[in-house]
Amino acid sequence: MNEAPDHPRDPARWSAAIAVVFFVLCLVRIGIPGTPYFDEIHYLPAARALLDGSEYLNREHPLLGKEILALGIALLGDNPWGWRLFPALAGTGALYAFTRALWFASLSRFAAVAYGALLASGFALFVHSRIAMLDVFFVAFLALALWQCAAAVREPETGRRRLAIAGVAIGLAMAAKWNAVPLAVVPGLAFFAARLAAGRRRLFTSRRGIPVPGVSLLEAALWLGLVPLAVYAATFLPTYGFDKGALQPGGLIELHRQIVALQESVVEPHPYQSRWPEWIFNLRAIWYLYEPVDGAQRGILLIGNPLTMLLGLPAMVWVIWRGAGGDRAALSVAVLYAVSLGFWMVVNKPVQFYYHYFLPSCFLLAALALALAELRQRGWRRSTTATLLASVALFVWFYPILSAAPLVGEHSFAFWMWLDGWR
């Protein structure tokens, strides 16, 4: 799974180094707070119930994310490290996988390295890698799937194996959180569109032509369609053994009706709720934590990096233009951003939050990385380097309220509140 193109400038070591530094930063104060906070209060009881087989709690979400949290508790104990180590590993894996996906898609060394720096300093991935929520798991599995799909296109001799891994990862992403579903269909549809454009006479059985020579459309449907569904269904097996509320044979369909109903039932207004126009302009934050805890006033703020979230918008416009002109890497990023954000524009979910922009923001930063790589090729080396350094500098500036560092007092948050919507 770590193979790379036969290319002397492959930045795999740079991607790994950035991921290692990111992981170490995630571990700093990962045990603070010492009690569950924000949505951990929903997911940790569900994980504990999984371990003792008592009841299927938190039914509004599928099971895999809570199974991973339960594994952490089983291995490390019912304590902050047991709750949060696997999210940190998943976030680190997502960072590495995203950079590898962009490398295989673009073969741009600078874009891949820049993407790693932008993701690591983009706030959202860091915050979600230090909390026992479901989001980082579905993002990590989607990132793995995109990496493998991009590698299959670039190295068709490994295409079958890569697509098989991608299919498993897609199934795991959906099983972690339904937010992955809109993106889950993109690889299969992209394969179909590319093979259709290739004009093969035997559309479904021919193994010739793009995107992965050697793999027929029927076989791709197996790896990218049937395998994800089978993997997804398999993650629900523990629900048949609960002492209370166990599923009966054939009950999986009814369970999904319940999940849909529960997702649509949250209509009570929330002070932190927001909508997509506020997300893209970075106008509304969420305080995951702000209170005296573990001997000091501490805070954890979810917001995007103030610089790169805004620079990413013109970069996305440029990527759309490049994609329309035939640049496949740019087109892929534009489509992934449009699908992941567009879902929240149309979905019947009355109460939405900034963390729903987590995945779209990852693609926004990919657009910025590609744009910076283009500017660097055109001679803007100092400007592109300065942008990355400024992104890291802002991460350092906000680090105390991203990592639960001890603050001076209860009004310390005002130091970082550049906008009223961040309060």
Side-chain angles (χ1 to χ4, degrees):
M1 198 162 62
N2 290 316
E3 296 91 341
D6 184 15
H7 191 286
R9 302 283 292 173
D10 186 302
R13 292 183 179 179
W14 275 101
S15 295
I18 294 171
V20 168
V21 172
F22 178 82
F23 180 65
V24 171
L25 287 175
C26 286
L27 296 184
V28 176
R29 288 187 295 275
I30 198 171
I32 296 176
T35 56
Y37 72 105
F38 198 62
D39 279 357
E40 287 185 340
I41 64 173
H42 303 300
Y43 303 132
L44 291 175
R48 297 183 186 112
L50 265 169
L51 285 175
D52 60 30
S54 59
E55 186 177 2
Y56 181 8
L57 300 177
N58 188 238
R59 284 177 175 248
E60 60 265 39
H61 295 293
L63 211 61
L64 179 62
K66 289 159 285 189
E67 290 171 326
I68 298 174
L69 295 177
L71 178 62
I73 293 173
L75 293 177
L76 300 173
D78 195 352
N79 56 62
W81 278 85
W83 309 336
R84 299 172 191 148
L85 181 61
F86 276 87
L89 290 170
T92 302
L95 174 61
Y96 184 75
F98 272 131
T99 61
R100 299 305 291 154
L102 194 62
W103 160 249
F104 279 105
S106 67
L107 286 186
S108 170
R109 176 183 174 87
F110 181 81
V113 175
Y115 190 28
L118 293 170
L119 276 174
S121 61
F123 296 12
L125 181 61
F126 179 78
V127 170
H128 283 112
S129 298
R130 304 179 72 257
I131 186 170
M133 290 173 61
L134 310 181
D135 301 74
V136 75
F137 297 127
F138 94 82
V139 168
F141 287 124
L142 272 180
L144 173 60
L146 294 174
W147 167 18
Q148 295 305 304
C149 287
V153 173
R154 189 66 65 179
E155 296 181 338
E157 65 275 13
T158 65
R160 180 171 288 108
R161 174 169 58 85
R162 301 276 194 180
L163 292 181
I165 295 171
V168 172
I170 290 170
L172 295 176
M174 294 190 296
K177 198 170 186 182
W178 273 10
N179 297 33
V181 172
L183 272 295
V185 300
V186 170
L189 291 177
F191 195 105
F192 173 76
R195 188 55 58 88
L196 186 65
R200 310 314 315 173
R201 288 185 179 180
R202 295 177 292 111
L203 176 63
F204 295 101
T205 58
S206 174
R207 296 184 178 184
R208 300 175 62 188
I210 60 172
V212 185
V215 177
S216 70
L217 187 57
L218 282 177
E219 184 180 354
L222 167 66
W223 299 128
L224 301 178
L226 296 181
V227 166
L229 292 176
V231 170
Y232 173 80
T235 63
F236 286 91
L237 289 176
T239 62
Y240 293 92
F242 282 115
D243 295 335
K244 182 178 179 182
L247 289 189
Q248 301 302 312
L252 194 58
I253 294 177
E254 178 58 33
L255 172 62
H256 282 70
R257 292 195 184 102
Q258 295 176 18
I259 294 175
V260 172
L262 288 169
Q263 287 288 339
E264 296 177 351
S265 67
V266 180
V267 296
E268 186 72 23
H270 192 283
Y272 279 136
Q273 72 183 64
S274 57
R275 306 292 288 189
W276 68 268
E278 296 169 285
W279 305 343
I280 65 174
F281 292 109
N282 214 29
L283 298 178
R284 190 72 178 106
I286 304 177
W287 282 100
Y288 279 9
L289 174 77
Y290 197 80
E291 60 185 84
V293 64
D294 293 277
Q297 181 73 38
R298 302 176 189 273
I300 298 176
L301 179 74
L302 177 68
I303 194 64
N305 186 302
L307 175 68
T308 56
M309 286 296 100
L310 296 181
L311 287 181
L313 297 177
M316 183 58 68
V317 173
W318 175 82
V319 157
I320 294 171
W321 174 75
R322 281 294 293 262
D327 185 321
R328 292 181 182 177
L331 178 62
S332 298
V333 169
V335 168
L336 291 169
Y337 180 76
V339 172
S340 58
L341 179 59
F343 171 75
W344 294 106
M345 296 179 182
V346 300
V347 69
N348 182 23
K349 190 173 178 65
V351 180
Q352 300 178 15
F353 299 94
Y354 183 74
Y355 56 72
H356 293 138
Y357 194 57
F358 176 20
L359 180 60
S361 73
C362 293
F363 301 128
L364 186 78
L365 294 178
L368 181 55
L370 289 173
L372 291 175
E374 176 69 16
L375 288 173
R376 195 172 185 85
Q377 284 187 343
R378 293 175 179 269
W380 294 56
R381 298 178 63 88
R382 291 184 179 180
S383 297
T384 55
T385 301
T387 300
L388 297 180
L389 291 176
S391 179
V392 173
L394 281 170
F395 176 81
V396 173
W397 183 268
F398 279 84
Y399 185 73
I401 57 169
L402 302 174
S403 63
L407 305 175
V408 174
E410 62 177 315
H411 298 294
S412 297
F413 71 95
F415 179 71
W416 291 276
M417 297 298 97
W418 298 358
L419 300 176
D420 288 339
W422 295 2
R423 293 178 177 271

